[in-house]
Amino acid sequence: MSVLNLPTGTIHLDITHNLLAQRFAEIPFDATSTILAVKEKIHRITGSKPEYVTLKLNGNVVLDNDSLPLFAYSPSATGGFIHVIDFDPMSVAKDLCFENSNVEKYTISEDEYSKRADSARVFKQRMLQMKKEQIVQTQTEKNEEALRKLPSLEEVQARVKIGMRCEVKGNKRGTVAFVGRVPEIPSILPVIWVGLKYDEPVGKNDGTVNGKRYFDASKGYGGFVRPDWVEVGEFPEKDPFDSDDDDKKSTEDDLFEEL
């Protein structure tokens, strides 16, 4: 057999096996390795012992001389494969067979499975719990950060005082009628609210929240907004006959910022 002009260096070959469904892709072999060394490497991958295997290059060329180098059998540098035929009656590869219908499958009852601490189900539940805890931790940190940024009641009352004229988002004007906390308005954080008595019926209540009155206003003339929405100053009532292109209707965001 001529060994001239044959590949040297590293050869990448797939490995197939008569007992295994898995195909081991692009396993690197030294072209100068002996066939025995190739068998030993395959043993480490598949469990098939060197003395109990027959190797076929590309399924038809038998690698029949353990002392010859791999390149002596003219393998291509890439794209080829070695098919392993394991004739060991006690081969461990039989225990690894994924497709052999003769192998009895391991089964476990639902009750026994639920008691296992190392099952995939327990692992998944643990991961879900960790994710929930991480979400809660992240939300807690966000709440704490938001709480640090919230102005105190004293800070708000120093700037916004009852009786002051003001203008709020949406270019709506009115008079400050209340400054403080409103427990009836659900909120994760202790938000300070400013109660307003509008000049026009652009509000959402009459100064009451869930039946508790905080100030007096006609129906549709009262509302509660966040302090950062409120600008106090000289804001006289608008002339109802003036056309103001800056007037804005309440947006969807208002539902979350104004009550």
Side-chain angles (χ1 to χ4, degrees):
M1 177 184 297
S2 173
V3 295
L4 297 176
N5 300 321
L6 295 176
T8 59
T10 301
I11 300 172
H12 290 84
L13 299 169
D14 289 1
I15 296 176
T16 60
H17 200 290
N18 68 318
L19 297 178
L20 301 175
Q22 182 177 358
R23 185 183 185 99
F24 303 89
E26 297 188 352
I27 304 301
F29 293 95
D30 191 319
T32 61
S33 296
T34 64
I35 299 305
L36 178 59
V38 171
K39 289 180 178 179
E40 290 172 343
K41 184 167 186 175
I42 289 175
H43 172 226
R44 293 193 294 271
I45 296 172
T46 67
S48 295
K49 297 179 180 179
E51 61 270 29
Y52 287 105
V53 298
T54 296
L55 304 184
K56 289 187 176 182
L57 180 63
N58 298 326
N60 51 36
V61 178
V62 180
L63 308 183
D64 54 1
N65 191 329
D66 286 352
S67 62
L68 282 178
L70 179 58
F71 72 76
Y73 289 89
S74 305
S76 56
T78 59
F81 71 95
I82 293 176
H83 182 64
V84 181
I85 301 174
D86 186 340
F87 50 87
D88 182 1
M90 304 298 293
S91 175
V92 297
K94 291 183 178 180
D95 297 330
L96 300 175
C97 180
F98 303 116
E99 299 295 335
N100 192 336
S101 60
N102 295 321
V103 176
E104 184 178 357
K105 305 298 188 295
Y106 175 73
T107 59
I108 184 172
S109 69
E110 176 65 25
D111 184 57
E112 291 176 336
Y113 185 76
S114 63
K115 293 178 181 178
R116 293 186 59 169
D118 59 347
S119 67
R121 180 186 301 167
V122 171
F123 176 78
K124 183 178 180 180
Q125 291 173 343
R126 189 181 302 122
M127 292 299 102
L128 288 174
Q129 181 61 31
M130 289 177 61
K131 186 174 182 180
K132 289 179 181 178
E133 291 175 356
Q134 185 178 18
I135 292 173
V136 171
Q137 177 65 24
T138 301
Q139 188 59 52
T140 300
E141 292 174 355
K142 287 182 178 179
N143 290 345
E144 291 175 350
E145 178 64 22
L147 184 59
R148 285 192 291 269
K149 294 180 179 180
L150 280 179
S152 67
L153 176 59
E154 292 73 18
E155 290 173 331
V156 176
Q157 289 177 331
R159 183 178 70 87
V160 182
K161 301 181 185 297
I162 294 176
M164 283 184 167
R165 292 289 300 170
C166 66
E167 186 172 80
V168 301
K169 278 189 177 182
N171 203 24
K172 296 179 287 189
R173 294 183 180 181
T175 302
V176 176
F178 169 83
V179 180
R181 293 189 174 90
V182 182
E184 291 77 15
I185 299 177
S187 176
I188 297 175
L189 301 174
V191 178
I192 306 301
W193 295 95
V194 176
L196 300 174
K197 186 175 181 180
Y198 291 112
D199 298 336
E200 300 176 64
V202 292
K204 297 185 178 181
N205 55 59
D206 61 354
T208 62
V209 180
N210 291 338
K212 182 173 180 179
R213 180 165 297 281
Y214 284 88
F215 60 91
D216 292 319
S218 299
K219 185 176 181 180
Y221 281 80
F224 292 85
V225 299
R226 285 174 36 172
D228 53 308
W229 273 35
V230 180
E231 181 181 356
V232 295
E234 297 296 328
F235 294 103
E237 292 188 31
K238 296 180 181 179
D239 186 335
F241 298 102
D242 283 349
S243 175
D244 192 343
D245 293 335
D246 292 331
D247 283 348
K248 301 176 183 178
K249 294 183 179 179
S250 295
T251 65
E252 186 175 342
D253 288 340
D254 293 349
L255 299 177
F256 302 96
E257 305 292 350
E258 179 178 0
L259 296 166

